[in-house]
Amino acid sequence: MLEQLPVLQYFRFTPLPPAGPSSYSVGTMSERFDCHYCRDSLQGKKYVQKEGRHCCVKCFEKICANTCIECKKPIGADSKELHFKNRYWHDSCFRCFKCHMSLVNEPFMLRENNKVWCSNCTATEDAPRCKGCFKPIIAGDQNVEYKKMVWHKDCFTCSQCKKVIGSGSFFPKGDEFYCVSCHEHKFAKTCAKCKNPITSGGLTYQEQPWHSECFICSNCKKQLGGKRFTAVEDQFYCVECYKECVAKKCAGCKNPITGFGRGTSVVNYEDESWHDYCFKCTKCARGLANKRFVCHNGKIYCAECPKRL
């Protein structure tokens, strides 16, 4: 969330009574004085006194009056003048540049090009902009911030379903953002067994993804992740279930031929199978794996022993 915006410092200005060498006073002349500039008599006429000099209203506005920084016209003797940092305004011209509200006796900010702004417009103008609607995010608005970008809470929506993500979980993909549900359906891998998205964990067998809870022994239903197993015609078996339910029995020792541990090689002859270390001569017990042998009366012999029978 964004921190609250700092409070801007404004200047409150109230027109002051005339004072100092640059001020002036207005009155009606009762004595015999002439205008300092045009030399017309001021007796019985309205005049302006500025810096010890008396002048008629016309000369004052033409020669002495300050110019309004907003309308560029002289600020006449009958007008109310506002000033700030050697800048002058008619009181009617002292308005917010943005909303045009009068700023007489109101807080304001002097910004670029000598334009004055009210506090509300200044706060709005300087506020960060929502990445969604591009409108300002005012202090107090609920918002979401991610990698120096900011949104109104209701503007932070899923790129797929357009539902508000707000302060919920999401997944960024380039310039787009997805809620958990849409990300699962659009980008997550699909389990080879149940066909549902794999949102976390999972495993891979023969380049196919599986949920851990879906990759199980076909017989006892125990999970096989990280364990030894055997695949038989698209079915998976743990070692124990393979021994008991699937593996052929050795014609010699009568134990299952699992392919695990000792005797990983198998000897097959006609319809029977042996561990390689169990395939030996019935008479001399010589190992016959990968050697010539003779079958006599259903028994296995080496090439020499049948001659001695």
Side-chain angles (χ1 to χ4, degrees):
M1 301 296 289
L2 291 178
E3 297 181 359
Q4 186 172 354
L5 293 174
V7 176
L8 298 173
Q9 299 298 316
Y10 297 99
F11 302 93
R12 185 182 294 275
F13 179 80
T14 305
L16 300 174
S22 62
S23 63
Y24 59 89
S25 60
V26 181
T28 302
M29 184 64 68
S30 59
E31 301 179 19
R32 174 65 184 180
F33 279 101
D34 294 335
C35 173
H36 177 76
Y37 298 101
C38 68
R39 311 313 298 175
D40 285 350
S41 174
L42 297 177
Q43 189 170 10
K45 296 180 181 179
K46 194 172 184 177
Y47 74 100
V48 180
Q49 182 178 349
K50 183 175 182 180
E51 298 178 356
R53 298 171 179 173
H54 301 83
C55 63
C56 63
V57 172
K58 184 177 180 180
C59 288
F60 172 79
E61 294 182 351
K62 183 177 180 180
I63 301 172
C64 304
N66 295 312
T67 301
C68 175
I69 199 168
E70 182 64 28
C71 70
K72 312 303 181 186
K73 295 180 180 179
I75 304 174
D78 294 328
S79 301
K80 290 182 179 180
E81 179 183 276
L82 304 178
H83 62 88
F84 175 71
K85 290 187 176 181
N86 297 320
R87 297 171 177 84
Y88 301 88
W89 293 264
H90 294 102
D91 63 341
S92 59
C93 293
F94 197 64
R95 296 179 176 275
C96 174
F97 172 73
K98 195 76 172 178
C99 68
H100 308 296
M101 180 185 76
S102 174
L103 295 177
V104 177
N105 295 325
E106 297 293 336
F108 68 93
M109 174 66 75
L110 185 64
R111 296 172 66 94
E112 60 274 6
N113 299 322
N114 291 317
K115 300 299 183 182
V116 288
W117 293 57
C118 68
S119 56
N120 289 336
C121 290
T122 300
T124 301
E125 185 71 14
D126 293 340
R129 297 280 169 170
C130 173
K131 184 73 173 177
C133 68
F134 305 105
K135 295 179 180 179
I137 297 175
I138 307 301
D141 287 349
Q142 289 186 312
N143 55 76
V144 178
E145 186 176 1
Y146 175 73
K147 288 189 175 181
K148 298 183 179 180
M149 297 181 289
V150 64
W151 294 258
H152 292 107
K153 184 178 179 181
D154 291 342
C155 292
F156 191 61
T157 58
C158 174
S159 299
Q160 182 76 14
C161 66
K162 308 304 179 184
K163 292 181 179 178
V164 174
I165 298 174
S167 56
S169 299
F170 66 92
F171 292 88
K173 286 287 184 180
D175 293 332
E176 297 183 326
F177 301 90
Y178 296 88
C179 64
V180 175
S181 177
C182 288
H183 182 268
E184 288 178 359
H185 288 88
K186 189 175 180 68
F187 298 104
K189 293 180 179 179
T190 302
C191 176
K193 182 177 181 179
C194 70
K195 309 304 179 184
N196 291 322
I198 301 173
T199 58
S200 63
L203 51 85
T204 300
Y205 174 68
Q206 292 186 343
E207 299 183 354
Q208 288 186 314
W210 298 71
H211 290 113
S212 297
E213 58 271 22
C214 290
F215 196 71
I216 58 177
C217 174
S218 297
N219 186 58
C220 69
K221 309 305 179 183
K222 291 181 180 178
Q223 293 187 21
L224 298 176
K227 299 178 181 178
R228 297 173 70 184
F229 67 93
T230 298
V232 180
E233 296 179 354
D234 297 328
Q235 300 294 315
F236 305 107
Y237 298 91
C238 65
V239 174
E240 295 302 320
C241 288
Y242 180 75
K243 289 180 180 179
E244 295 296 325
C245 305
V246 182
K248 293 181 178 180
K249 300 299 188 292
C250 175
C253 68
K254 308 306 179 182
N255 291 320
I257 302 173
T258 64
F260 303 124
R262 182 184 174 209
T264 56
S265 297
V266 180
V267 176
N268 295 303
Y269 178 67
E270 293 186 346
D271 293 330
E272 293 186 302
S273 299
W274 290 259
H275 295 106
D276 61 347
Y277 56 83
C278 291
F279 191 66
K280 54 191 177 182
C281 178
T282 304
K283 184 172 180 63
C284 68
R286 181 190 304 175
L288 297 177
N290 297 318
K291 295 180 181 179
R292 294 178 63 189
F293 65 93
V294 175
C295 183
H296 180 68
N297 294 329
K299 294 182 178 181
I300 302 299
Y301 296 92
C302 65
E304 301 298 327
C305 284
K307 297 176 183 180
R308 302 168 187 169
L309 295 177

